[in-house]
Every structure is written in C-alpha cells, then in structure tokens.
C-alpha cells in the first residue's frame, strides 16, 4: 500500500481509483435505471477544439485515431475503463522495475508519455477483443456497409461537422452496434436524438435526420 501512495505513483494509482469509481457509479446507476452517458461525456476530452471544418487535417487524424481505438465500435465507457486500467498498471509496473534497478522512483510526469504510448495499444487490443464478441458468429455478423439506412440514437456528446459523436443501434440479430456519426454543414445532433446513417466515411458515418418513414421502417 505504501508503494501505491508514493509521490511517483499517485498518477497511476489515481487512474486505478478513478476506474473503480466509474465501475461503482455504473453499478449504482444500473440499479436505479439511470444511464452513465452524462458522466462519461464530462470525463472524455473535448473533441471540438480546432475541428470546426469537416475537412481539417486535425479532424481526419482524430477520426482515424478514434477508429484505431475502436471508439465507434465498442462502448466508449469500456474503452475509458480499459485505458485507466492499462495506464495505471503499466505505470506501476514500470515504477516497480525502476525501483528494483536504481533504488528510487522516477517522477510520474517523466514516465507519463512512455506509459501512455504503452497503454494505447492495450486499449486497442481490448477494443478488438470486445468487438469480436459484439459481432458474434460470422453468419450473423452485419458488415459496416449494411449499416447505411439504419436509424441510430446519439448516446454520447453532440455531433457536429468535423466533430463526430457516438451513436447506437441494434441489428436484426439483436446485436448492439456503436458507431461514430457526424452531420454536414451547420447541423448538429444532440444526445438522445435519432439519426439516419447515409454514408460511411472512414471510421465514422455521415448522418441526417430521419423521416417518419425511416423510423417506421426500422422498427
């Protein structure tokens, strides 16, 4: 316990504590029937910075990075928890190794970048693993191109041009899919709104507001 509370380990111990707090909150909210999306929306970094235009280089890099992490295909809450666990445990293991080699701990900020670089592939591994479970048997798997024409519900954040948000829908096999969606021009989609997926764009989908005919056809 003393090792976990040393100054050089507080950043990594804090990540694990935050993970446990999120898990506890999720359990409590599940029992009372309240979603945890608002909490997660506050914890995630703001992706609106410098992403006002849909064709900006920064927006494309961010979208590809989120796709690499499987952010649109696995629930964001799971990826966040996976990141906190990977970051915390990797940091503590590295500090343990340093302590054994040189006899003292390095400042946490000095190891933060290497730990981050080691943690991100672990998050992707978890995302890939859970994505396979989510897709299930290949005979029932729904390809991403067949997502076009589906009506999804925005679950986290606000979707704007160049700033995608997470949306969710269920296919005919009962499998829940998570995708990143964004509108065009000046339109925005808020949390809880339904959108129609009309075009695949890399890791995300372009979406429009569905008509009553689309809503009826997806029920």
């Amino acid at each position: 316990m003393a090792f976990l509370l040393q100054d050089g380990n507080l950043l990594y111990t804090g990540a694990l504590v935050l993970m446990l707090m999120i898990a506890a909150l999720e359990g409590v909210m599940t029992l009372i029937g309240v979603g945890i999306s608002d909490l997660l929306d506050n914890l995630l970094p703001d992706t609106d910075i410098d992403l006002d235009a849909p064709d900006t280089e920064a927006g494309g890099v961010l979208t590809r990075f989120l796709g690499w992490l499987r952010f649109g295909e696995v629930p964001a809450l799971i990826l966040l928890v996976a990141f906190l666990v990977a970051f915390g445990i990797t940091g503590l293991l590295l500090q343990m190794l340093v302590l054994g080699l040189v006899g003292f701990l390095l400042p946490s900020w000095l190891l933060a970048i290497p730990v981050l670089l080691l943690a991100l592939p672990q998050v992707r591994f978890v995302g890939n693993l859970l994505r396979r479970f989510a897709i299930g048997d290949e005979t029932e798997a729904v390809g991403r191109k067949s997502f076009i024409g589906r009506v999804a519900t925005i679950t986290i954040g606000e979707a704007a041009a160049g700033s995608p948000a997470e949306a969710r829908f269920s296919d005919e096999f009962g499998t829940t899919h998570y995708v990143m969606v964004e509108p065009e021009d000046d339109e925005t989609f808020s949390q809880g709104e339904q959108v129609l997926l009309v075009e695949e764009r890399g890791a995300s989908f372009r979406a429009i507001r569905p008509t009553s005919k689309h809503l009826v056809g997806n029920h």
Side-chain angles (χ1 to χ4, degrees), residues 151 194-196 208-219:
V151 174
Q194 290 186 306
V195 298
L196 177 69
I208 62 174
R209 296 187 187 280
T211 64
S212 57
K213 179 179 68 174
H214 294 131
L215 293 174
V216 171
N218 278 266
H219 286 294

Side-chain angles (χ1 to χ4, degrees), residues 27 51 60 70 93 96 132 178:
L51 297 176
R70 304 303 184 193
L93 288 176
M96 192 177 299
R132 291 193 187 97
Y178 294 84

Side-chain angles (χ1 to χ4, degrees), residues 59-93:
V61 170
L62 177 62
T63 299
R64 287 194 295 271
F65 174 68
L66 292 176
W68 183 78
L69 288 177
R70 304 303 184 193
F71 186 81
E73 302 171 82
V74 176
L77 179 64
I78 294 179
L79 293 180
L80 175 61
V81 169
F83 170 75
L84 292 173
V85 172
F87 185 81
I89 292 180
T90 301
L92 292 174
L93 288 176

Side-chain angles (χ1 to χ4, degrees), residues 31-211:
L31 289 176
I32 64 178
V34 179
I36 199 172
S37 295
D38 290 336
L39 173 64
L40 180 58
D41 195 22
N42 292 328
L43 291 175
L44 289 174
D46 186 2
T47 57
D48 291 331
I49 300 175
D50 296 327
L51 297 176
D52 294 328
D55 294 326
T56 59
E57 183 179 349
V61 170
L62 177 62
T63 299
R64 287 194 295 271
F65 174 68
L66 292 176
W68 183 78
L69 288 177
R70 304 303 184 193
F71 186 81
E73 302 171 82
V74 176
L77 179 64
I78 294 179
L79 293 180
L80 175 61
V81 169
F83 170 75
L84 292 173
V85 172
F87 185 81
I89 292 180
T90 301
L92 292 174
L93 288 176
L94 283 181
Q95 287 285 45
M96 192 177 299
L97 178 62
V98 169
L99 182 62
L101 291 175
V102 299
F104 58 86
L105 299 178
L106 294 176
S108 58
W109 59 265
L110 192 60
L111 280 179
I113 298 300
V115 170
L116 178 63
L117 295 177
L118 289 171
L120 290 177
Q122 298 176 58
V123 177
R124 174 177 165 81
F125 173 78
V126 172
N128 283 333
L129 189 64
L130 294 178
R131 177 173 173 268
R132 291 193 187 97
F133 280 111
I135 290 177
D137 195 320
E138 291 184 1
T139 59
E140 295 188 351
V142 177
R144 283 176 62 83
K145 290 193 179 298
S146 71
F147 291 179
I148 295 173
R150 306 271 183 170
V151 174
T153 302
I154 303 294
T155 55
I156 295 176
E158 181 180 82
S163 179
E166 184 186 86
R168 176 182 63 199
F169 71 90
S170 296
D171 61 31
E172 59 269 29
F173 304 110
T175 301
T176 299
H177 299 271
Y178 294 84
V179 295
M180 299 299 293
V181 301
E182 61 177 298
E184 287 188 333
D185 304 323
D186 297 328
E187 192 169 22
T188 60
F189 301 133
S190 301
Q191 183 175 329
E193 284 193 71
Q194 290 186 306
V195 298
L196 177 69
L197 308 183
V198 296
E199 182 184 1
E200 184 179 10
R201 291 184 172 179
S204 63
F205 287 83
R206 184 171 69 87
I208 62 174
R209 296 187 187 280
T211 64

